[in-house]
Amino acid sequence: MTSSNPDPGPRPLRADALRNQQRILTAARAAFAEDGLETPLEDIAKRAGVAPATLYRRFPSRDDLLVAIWEQRFQEELDPALTAAADHPDPWAAFVDVVAAAMRMWSVEQDSLEALRRKGALMQSSGLRLFETLRRLLERCQQAGRMRTDLTPDDLPVILRMASVAVTPGRSETHWRRYLDLLLDALRAPADRPDPR
Amino acid sequence: MTSSNPDPGPRPLRADALRNQQRILTAARAAFAEDGLETPLEDIAKRAGVAPATLYRRFPSRDDLLVAIWEQRFQEELDPALTAAADHPDPWAAFVDVVAAAMRMWSVEQDSLEALRRKGALMQSSGLRLFETLRRLLERCQQAGRMRTDLTPDDLPVILRMASVAVTPGRSETHWRRYLDLLLDALRAPADRPDPR
Amino acid sequence: MTSSNPDPGPRPLRADALRNQQRILTAARAAFAEDGLETPLEDIAKRAGVAPATLYRRFPSRDDLLVAIWEQRFQEELDPALTAAADHPDPWAAFVDVVAAAMRMWSVEQDSLEALRRKGALMQSSGLRLFETLRRLLERCQQAGRMRTDLTPDDLPVILRMASVAVTPGRSETHWRRYLDLLLDALRAPADRPDPR
Amino acid sequence: MTSSNPDPGPRPLRADALRNQQRILTAARAAFAEDGLETPLEDIAKRAGVAPATLYRRFPSRDDLLVAIWEQRFQEELDPALTAAADHPDPWAAFVDVVAAAMRMWSVEQDSLEALRRKGALMQSSGLRLFETLRRLLERCQQAGRMRTDLTPDDLPVILRMASVAVTPGRSETHWRRYLDLLLDALRAPADRPDPR
DNA sequence: AATGAATGAGAATTCATTCAT
DNA sequence: GATGAATGAATTCTCATTCAT
């Protein structure tokens, strides 16, 4: 029963309003991708088939749109990997899996994510889940002697960004994978490194 | 001898024009830094104490301004390091020096450089000098057995960007230096790595 | 029955929008007449009491304004004459009436009509009705032996423009009438000419 | 001897200045023809290979350029016909010749001539010669019973413009000639008209 | 006398946001 | 709740004209 929910959130949307919201998000993704992040909001509204004021009601600012888009993407494209990682017996493999999954998500619409990051809006709910998961894996890896012990949770955002610069839209996964391996290699505990010989 | 150069280029600017050009560049740097890359060009003109049309004459687009600013910064802040590196007896140390010098230059006005990169205008004269130097050092390092042999000149731009994400304006050099060391460590030839024990 | 029309067109304007549109057109006519065709669009908006963007919404270009103005003038000042001409028993008299009516309409705002003509926008709906009517009258006149048979519908625009050059704003109708008569005289079938004696 | 000339005019130009003036006129004709009458004066200067201030010195306004261009064209393209007409034994033929010559001159750069006319600058020295010649021929024609006697010199400008509307750049002379004949026919004295039968 | 750099006022156009229907 | 018309401020860009060199 909704009425007894202890935290009902910002009130459930009416069915049609929800549909509008979804159409707006889809339209915004398409518009941002095709016409850039500066696309007039009116164009997005047009694509979504709603009036500007309707868009405005749901997403008072361009950033609200960006946040919502990424909230959705994190949920759909990353959450499964996060869940799987939690139960993975090998923490190093799980760590790599999560980072790779993030890269895959990153590989489209990088600009909009970067815009979000600059505005400091990345570490919202969705980003938090990602980094919380990585933090736990980092700990487990270090306890298992698989990862350098001088790394701290604060390093994780930087590491992820370092990995992400190699992600080039239009180039295959093998491209960025190579750089990711390079970087991961540097994170390993020295004893865990592949024998150079 | 300059005076006998058969191609004097597009004719030297008049003294007053040169002074204006310099004032505009200085104003633009300040404006971009303080008010962001979208700063109205008119504001830049105002800061420089010239009329908008004067700015337009020299820099028909915002990008032309960005390019000129970076051309200048590369020249003033990086060229000495490049020259020094060329003669450095230890290629690995020289490589590290150049990358570090680039990071130092990077550490301010990152946004504008990133903007330039997106527009593909980075690999102009100034960027070319940097990467050409790095390419030679890469070769020398590899020949000296100091660097992984699977790295190619094409990797250099990616590596530089990976290093640069840790460069945070307002944080000291020690911050990004740590990540740079991590990354450089991954580039070393396996035999050259510090003994894990 | 309008209500059953399957193609209602691009939807009727809201009442307030329609009022604005009308005010803009009126303002534009006044502005063009008083300040010339190059009048800043912002001045027109000011006269109409609307914001510049409102003007832009309805008339994205100066030409759209011109076209709309003339569409209206043709409709209000010429259509009655066209209708009357269709039923006139004497085709020659009808032809003369229509040309004279056109001249009267022409006699103000000639510049803007000429501008339209140069841009090839004259032969739109309103211009078409005029020339279609004249074409029919031309045929009827020729069949009745009242007009030279070597004239074709393609001559009509030229003939109208020849007649119109005598139309001088600020001079009475008798002035251009004299030249029109001269010209019409040349169009008559030879047998129909007034006896020179 | 120049020094004894009773009206030396605005002082003879230095040789180089004269050459500049000519280059500017040529450049202006080309620029007006290709880019329209609104072409920036700076573009014209560039075409002529002079600085804007030089153009400005010779032709303080755009209209001064137009006037000079047409002064030149009248002189080169029309004056021979005017001279020939003066001595022609048949005044009617001479009249027709002059009008046709004017049409030929008209047939290019019509826009700029029309611009001149609107500004009332047409009846300057060159235009005056044309109309003065036509006026004399009109008289002679009327005295010879070849032209309607109700025509006056004031009709001449209107008649010329009526004839000129048929002159279409890009269409051959036969096109406008037909309309000119029509018009001329209307000017003839009734007795002089070709027998309709 | 010519140059070409600089001017500064002006015009077109856009867009986030509000408001009457 | 949605609509879409209106807003008006902001920004880019242009050009005739002047002025230092």
Side-chain angles (χ1 to χ4, degrees):
Chain A
M1 270 160 276
T2 308
S3 61
S4 64
N5 189 321
D7 176 11
R11 163 192 314 217
L13 286 172
R14 248 170 46 181
D16 57 344
L18 190 67
R19 200 182 53 240
N20 269 348
Q21 177 145 351
Q22 191 49 53
R23 292 172 67 187
I24 289 171
L25 282 181
T26 307
R29 274 190 71 173
F32 286 151
E34 291 173 28
D35 307 328
L37 289 180
E38 317 280 75
T39 306
L41 297 183
E42 194 178 351
D43 287 5
I44 297 176
K46 214 168 278 167
R47 274 178 191 258
V50 303
T54 302
L55 184 154
Y56 198 70
R57 165 184 299 273
R58 298 280 166 241
F59 304 97
S61 81
R62 185 180 298 272
D63 287 357
D64 293 319
L65 267 176
L66 285 179
V67 168
I69 287 173
W70 280 101
E71 203 69 40
Q72 206 176 36
R73 293 200 63 197
F74 269 88
Q75 218 171 312
E76 296 175 358
E77 302 176 34
L78 196 56
D79 270 6
L82 298 186
T83 307
D87 303 328
H88 202 295
D90 178 347
W92 175 262
F95 185 88
V96 175
D97 281 354
V98 168
V99 173
M103 292 306 110
R104 264 174 229 115
M105 182 180 65
W106 247 249
S107 64
V108 283
E109 298 170 71
Q110 289 179 95
D111 290 355
S112 76
L113 187 59
E114 180 63 11
L116 225 52
R117 192 188 62 78
R118 287 191 208 180
K119 285 162 187 159
L122 190 55
M123 289 309 184
Q124 311 241 312
S125 54
S126 30
L128 285 181
R129 280 199 309 277
L130 168 59
F131 285 110
E132 183 53 25
T133 302
L134 285 175
R135 195 188 58 68
R136 283 201 216 104
L137 292 171
L138 171 68
E139 263 178 27
R140 286 176 56 199
C141 284
Q142 288 175 328
Q143 283 164 359
R146 311 286 298 277
M147 204 178 271
R148 298 171 56 136
T149 52
D150 58 349
L151 296 174
T152 76
D154 286 346
D155 295 328
L156 291 169
V158 179
I159 290 169
L160 239 63
R161 290 183 60 218
M162 289 177 82
S164 74
V165 300
V167 178
T168 316
R171 299 199 63 172
S172 80
E173 180 161 340
T174 53
H175 178 250
W176 55 259
R177 187 75 208 195
R178 181 160 161 269
Y179 296 98
L180 177 56
D181 288 340
L182 200 72
L183 183 63
L184 288 170
D185 208 41
L187 304 184
R188 270 184 226 272
D192 196 42
R193 284 189 183 159
D195 191 328
R197 277 158 304 184
Chain B
M1 272 156 271
T2 308
S3 60
S4 64
N5 190 324
D7 177 9
R11 163 187 313 217
L13 283 175
R14 239 164 56 179
D16 55 344
L18 192 68
R19 199 180 51 241
N20 271 343
Q21 175 147 354
Q22 193 49 52
R23 291 171 68 185
I24 290 171
L25 281 180
T26 308
R29 276 191 67 173
F32 285 153
E34 291 173 29
D35 307 329
L37 290 180
E38 317 280 76
T39 306
L41 296 181
E42 193 180 352
D43 287 4
I44 297 177
K46 217 168 275 169
R47 274 179 192 258
V50 303
T54 302
L55 187 153
Y56 267 88
R57 166 186 287 270
R58 298 281 163 237
F59 305 99
S61 80
R62 188 180 296 272
D63 286 358
D64 292 320
L65 265 177
L66 285 179
V67 168
I69 287 173
W70 280 102
E71 203 70 39
Q72 207 177 34
R73 292 202 61 198
F74 268 88
Q75 218 171 312
E76 296 175 358
E77 303 176 32
L78 197 56
D79 270 5
L82 298 186
T83 306
D87 303 327
H88 201 297
D90 177 349
W92 174 263
F95 185 88
V96 175
D97 282 353
V98 168
V99 174
M103 292 306 110
R104 260 172 233 118
M105 181 179 67
W106 247 250
S107 64
V108 283
E109 299 171 71
Q110 288 179 95
D111 290 356
S112 76
L113 187 59
E114 180 62 11
L116 225 51
R117 193 190 59 79
R118 287 192 208 180
K119 284 161 187 159
L122 190 53
M123 289 309 185
Q124 311 244 312
S125 54
S126 30
L128 285 182
R129 282 198 307 277
L130 168 59
F131 285 110
E132 185 51 25
T133 303
L134 286 175
R135 195 188 59 68
R136 286 202 212 100
L137 292 172
L138 171 70
E139 262 179 28
R140 286 176 56 199
C141 285
Q142 287 175 329
Q143 283 164 358
R146 310 287 298 276
M147 204 178 272
R148 297 172 55 135
T149 51
D150 57 349
L151 295 174
T152 76
D154 287 345
D155 296 326
L156 291 168
V158 179
I159 288 169
L160 241 63
R161 287 183 60 217
M162 288 177 83
S164 74
V165 300
V167 179
T168 316
R171 299 199 62 172
S172 78
E173 180 161 341
T174 52
H175 177 248
W176 55 258
R177 187 74 207 197
R178 183 161 159 269
Y179 294 99
L180 178 55
D181 288 339
L182 199 73
L183 183 63
L184 288 170
D185 209 40
L187 304 184
R188 272 183 224 273
D192 196 43
R193 283 190 184 164
D195 191 329
R197 278 157 302 184
Chain C
M1 272 157 272
T2 309
S3 59
S4 63
N5 191 323
D7 177 11
R11 163 188 316 216
L13 283 175
R14 239 164 54 180
D16 53 346
L18 191 66
R19 199 180 51 241
N20 269 343
Q21 175 147 354
Q22 193 49 53
R23 291 172 67 188
I24 290 171
L25 282 180
T26 308
R29 276 190 67 174
F32 285 152
E34 292 174 28
D35 307 328
L37 289 181
E38 318 279 76
T39 306
L41 295 182
E42 192 179 353
D43 288 4
I44 297 176
K46 217 167 276 169
R47 274 178 191 259
V50 302
T54 302
L55 187 153
Y56 266 88
R57 168 186 285 271
R58 298 281 162 236
F59 305 99
S61 80
R62 190 179 295 272
D63 287 357
D64 293 319
L65 265 177
L66 285 179
V67 168
I69 287 172
W70 280 100
E71 203 71 39
Q72 206 176 35
R73 294 200 63 196
F74 268 88
Q75 218 170 311
E76 295 175 359
E77 304 176 31
L78 196 57
D79 269 6
L82 298 186
T83 306
D87 303 326
H88 202 296
D90 177 349
W92 174 261
F95 185 89
V96 175
D97 282 354
V98 167
V99 173
M103 291 306 110
R104 263 174 231 116
M105 182 179 66
W106 247 250
S107 64
V108 283
E109 298 170 69
Q110 288 179 96
D111 290 356
S112 76
L113 187 61
E114 181 62 13
L116 225 51
R117 193 189 60 79
R118 286 191 207 182
K119 284 161 188 159
L122 190 53
M123 288 309 185
Q124 312 245 313
S125 54
S126 29
L128 285 181
R129 281 199 308 278
L130 167 60
F131 285 110
E132 183 53 23
T133 303
L134 285 176
R135 193 188 59 69
R136 285 203 213 100
L137 292 172
L138 171 69
E139 261 180 27
R140 287 175 56 198
C141 284
Q142 287 174 328
Q143 283 165 359
R146 311 287 297 278
M147 204 179 271
R148 299 171 54 137
T149 51
D150 57 348
L151 295 174
T152 77
D154 286 345
D155 296 326
L156 291 169
V158 179
I159 289 169
L160 241 63
R161 288 183 60 216
M162 289 177 82
S164 74
V165 299
V167 178
T168 316
R171 300 198 62 171
S172 78
E173 180 162 338
T174 51
H175 177 250
W176 55 259
R177 187 76 207 195
R178 182 160 159 269
Y179 295 99
L180 177 55
D181 288 339
L182 200 73
L183 183 62
L184 288 170
D185 208 42
L187 304 184
R188 272 182 225 273
D192 196 43
R193 285 188 183 161
D195 191 329
R197 276 158 306 184
Chain D
M1 270 161 277
T2 307
S3 59
S4 64
N5 189 321
D7 176 11
R11 161 194 312 215
L13 286 171
R14 245 168 50 180
D16 57 344
L18 190 67
R19 199 182 52 241
N20 269 347
Q21 177 145 351
Q22 191 49 51
R23 291 172 68 187
I24 290 170
L25 282 181
T26 308
R29 276 192 67 173
F32 286 151
E34 291 172 29
D35 307 328
L37 289 180
E38 318 280 75
T39 306
L41 297 183
E42 193 178 350
D43 287 4
I44 297 176
K46 214 168 281 169
R47 275 179 190 257
V50 303
T54 303
L55 184 153
Y56 198 71
R57 166 183 298 274
R58 298 279 165 242
F59 304 97
S61 81
R62 186 181 298 272
D63 287 357
D64 292 319
L65 268 176
L66 285 178
V67 168
I69 287 172
W70 279 101
E71 203 70 41
Q72 205 176 37
R73 294 201 62 198
F74 269 88
Q75 216 170 313
E76 296 174 359
E77 304 176 32
L78 196 57
D79 270 4
L82 298 186
T83 307
D87 304 327
H88 201 295
D90 178 348
W92 175 260
F95 185 87
V96 175
D97 282 353
V98 168
V99 173
M103 292 306 108
R104 260 171 235 119
M105 181 180 65
W106 247 248
S107 64
V108 284
E109 298 170 71
Q110 288 179 96
D111 290 356
S112 75
L113 188 58
E114 181 62 12
L116 226 52
R117 193 189 59 78
R118 287 191 208 181
K119 285 164 186 156
L122 189 54
M123 288 309 184
Q124 312 240 314
S125 54
S126 31
L128 284 181
R129 281 199 309 278
L130 167 60
F131 285 110
E132 183 53 26
T133 303
L134 285 176
R135 195 188 59 68
R136 284 201 213 101
L137 292 172
L138 171 69
E139 263 179 26
R140 286 175 57 199
C141 284
Q142 287 174 327
Q143 284 164 359
R146 310 286 299 277
M147 205 178 270
R148 298 170 56 136
T149 51
D150 56 350
L151 295 174
T152 77
D154 286 346
D155 296 326
L156 291 169
V158 178
I159 289 169
L160 239 63
R161 288 183 59 218
M162 289 177 81
S164 75
V165 300
V167 178
T168 316
R171 299 199 61 173
S172 78
E173 180 161 340
T174 52
H175 178 249
W176 56 259
R177 187 75 208 196
R178 184 162 158 268
Y179 295 99
L180 177 55
D181 288 340
L182 199 74
L183 183 63
L184 288 170
D185 208 41
L187 304 183
R188 274 183 223 272
D192 195 43
R193 283 189 185 163
D195 191 327
R197 276 158 305 183

